[in-house]
Amino acid sequence: MAEVLGIDVSHHNGLIDWAQVAKADKKFAILKCQYEAKSHRKDETFEYNYKEAGKYGLSRGVYVFIASDSIADPVLDANSLIGHLKGRPLEYGIWLDLESAALRRVPKKEITRLCYIYKNIFAANGYYVGIYCNKDWYDNVLESDVLRRDFDFWIARYPKDDKGLYSSTSKLKP
């Protein structure tokens, strides 16, 4: 199987130069769509990133960061994200971002239960659902043997020399 390269982005990356991303042979982008559960605000760069990534031929997906406030009401959290998406197509679906220090203190079975709550809501709305985490979480925090029956995993790799080359310093308005 050939390796397919992509990026994940949020407001932390500023305005992305999507032409440069496409030129670098990236094929997909996973976008932050909303802030964590407490506010449910839409990420201020989501609309720009969704439109521009598509304009340059990148397949798109989104991620939802699951943290302590997500645990309190995962149904509200998931439905808020669905509301922001407004039925838009996501070729790479929705990824459950499991890296929160607060979530790390939660029992494995509870994290598994949360994953299935999100999956059921997102799948009922026609979206593919996967899990995004790092290798430590996959090996030590999650019930990976259970979850991998129903979820694909995207295991994060962070290169030491990552300079954020796809961020733009321009002041363009989305």
Side-chain angles (χ1 to χ4, degrees):
M1 179 187 311
E3 184 175 60
V4 178
L5 300 176
I7 63 172
D8 67 287
V9 299
S10 75
H11 64 279
H12 293 293
N13 304 104
L15 291 180
I16 306 297
D17 181 348
W18 288 102
Q20 183 182 357
V21 174
K23 187 176 178 181
D25 207 29
K26 301 301 184 257
K27 301 297 183 200
F28 69 91
I30 307 300
L31 315 169
K32 182 174 186 175
C33 181
Q34 81 177 11
Y35 279 84
E36 288 70 58
K38 198 166 194 173
S39 76
H40 293 120
R41 281 187 311 123
K42 189 178 350 176
D43 184 292
E44 55 268 24
T45 60
F46 174 71
E47 296 295 342
Y48 170 82
N49 287 333
Y50 184 88
K51 178 183 169 197
E52 293 297 307
K55 176 178 166 183
Y56 287 96
L58 280 81
S59 296
R60 296 157 297 192
V62 300
Y63 69 91
V64 57
F65 183 73
I66 298 174
S68 56
D69 288 323
S70 308
I71 297 166
D73 197 342
V75 173
L76 178 63
D77 196 31
N79 284 325
S80 176
L81 180 65
I82 292 296
H84 290 310
L85 292 174
K86 299 178 182 167
R88 292 177 235 233
L90 295 174
E91 300 85 0
Y92 272 66
I94 300 173
W95 293 85
L96 309 179
D97 182 349
L98 303 173
E99 299 178 293
S100 165
L103 194 61
R104 190 177 186 105
R105 296 185 292 272
V106 172
K108 287 182 178 187
K109 287 194 181 311
E110 178 64 11
I111 297 172
T112 298
R113 187 184 76 78
L114 286 169
C115 289
Y116 281 101
I117 290 170
Y118 282 93
K119 181 181 175 80
N120 291 339
I121 292 169
F122 295 152
N125 283 275
Y127 292 107
Y128 161 86
V129 184
I131 293 175
Y132 170 88
C133 64
N134 61 44
K135 181 110 169 71
D136 174 57
W137 273 69
Y138 183 84
D139 290 340
N140 302 307
V141 181
L142 303 177
E143 283 187 309
S144 301
D145 57 329
V146 173
L147 292 168
R148 70 175 170 239
R149 294 180 207 148
D150 296 308
F151 293 88
D152 287 327
F153 278 80
W154 173 15
I155 307 296
R157 296 185 320 183
Y158 304 107
K160 289 181 182 179
D161 62 349
D162 182 6
K163 305 283 189 251
L165 297 178
Y166 303 113
S167 294
S168 170
T169 58
S170 71
K171 300 294 182 193
L172 297 175
K173 298 285 182 196

